[in-house]
Amino acid sequence: MFAGKSEELVRRVRRARLAHRGVVVVNHALDVRAGGGRVASHSGLEVPSATVAGAGEIPGLVEPGTELVAIDEAQFFGPELVPVAVALADAGLVVVVAGLSVTFDGSPFEPLPALMAVAERVDKLTAVCMVCGRDAAYHVRVARGVALDGGADAAAPVAAHVGGAESYEARCRAHRG
Ligand SMILES: [Zn+2]
């Protein structure tokens, strides 16, 4: 999280549109951050998107002239996204997928690992550790105000989910536990 994945997806979509390529942008109905109907980056860039309830709806969005299918927050789609993305790529489309590859407890988060295995190209973006500033490949759930070492403003990982996206922090390998 906080690695600029949606930002990179939006950047590629905008470049493709500037090149007059047919583009379909897809997000999942469970992704409600931007209010639906668009993919937005943290820095404010956004593009319109088709909101679907499952990967099975994606092929139906492809029209004659579609050259690129961009799928954001792919972790919401689950493993059923893999055969759909492969079929689109096999049909000659460029498929750009952005999503989380690890869960908050550091485990592989399908379908991203499976998609990374069959992709021609993988760009692994990392955030910045909120503790030390190193590259952060992980994210943890945190509770504000929970004392970690006596400080009232310290943030500590907790087992329970306590809020929205603001309750996650990017962390490096040393600070993810
Ligand atoms: Zn760190």
Side-chain angles (χ1 to χ4, degrees), residues 129-135 171-175:
C129 176
M130 296 286 283
V131 177
C132 71
R134 291 194 187 97
D135 283 349
R171 295 292 179 88
C172 73
R173 184 173 301 278
H175 293 120

Side-chain angles (χ1 to χ4, degrees), residues 31-168:
D31 178 15
V32 295
R33 296 168 308 155
R38 60 203 173 104
V39 170
S41 70
H42 288 292
S43 68
L45 289 177
E46 61 179 57
V47 291
S49 63
T51 302
V52 300
E57 296 179 37
I58 296 173
L61 300 171
V62 174
E63 300 173 334
T66 298
E67 298 173 68
L68 186 148
V69 178
I71 302 162
D72 195 35
E73 301 290 351
Q75 71 276 2
F76 285 123
F77 290 87
E80 70 166 332
L81 181 60
V82 178
V84 170
V86 168
L88 292 171
D90 286 348
L93 293 162
V94 175
V95 183
V96 177
V97 177
L100 287 173
S101 58
V102 292
T103 63
F104 73 91
D105 58 358
S107 300
F109 199 174
E110 294 295 347
L112 264 298
L115 289 167
M116 290 162 79
V118 297
E120 277 80 3
R121 178 176 163 186
V122 176
D123 294 314
K124 187 165 183 180
L125 306 178
T126 52
V128 172
C129 176
M130 296 286 283
V131 177
C132 71
R134 291 194 187 97
D135 283 349
Y138 300 93
H139 54 278
V140 297
R141 289 172 174 170
V142 294
R144 289 285 170 198
V146 174
L148 185 62
D149 53 10
D153 295 329
V158 292
H161 187 35
V162 292
E166 71 279 3
S167 62
Y168 290 90

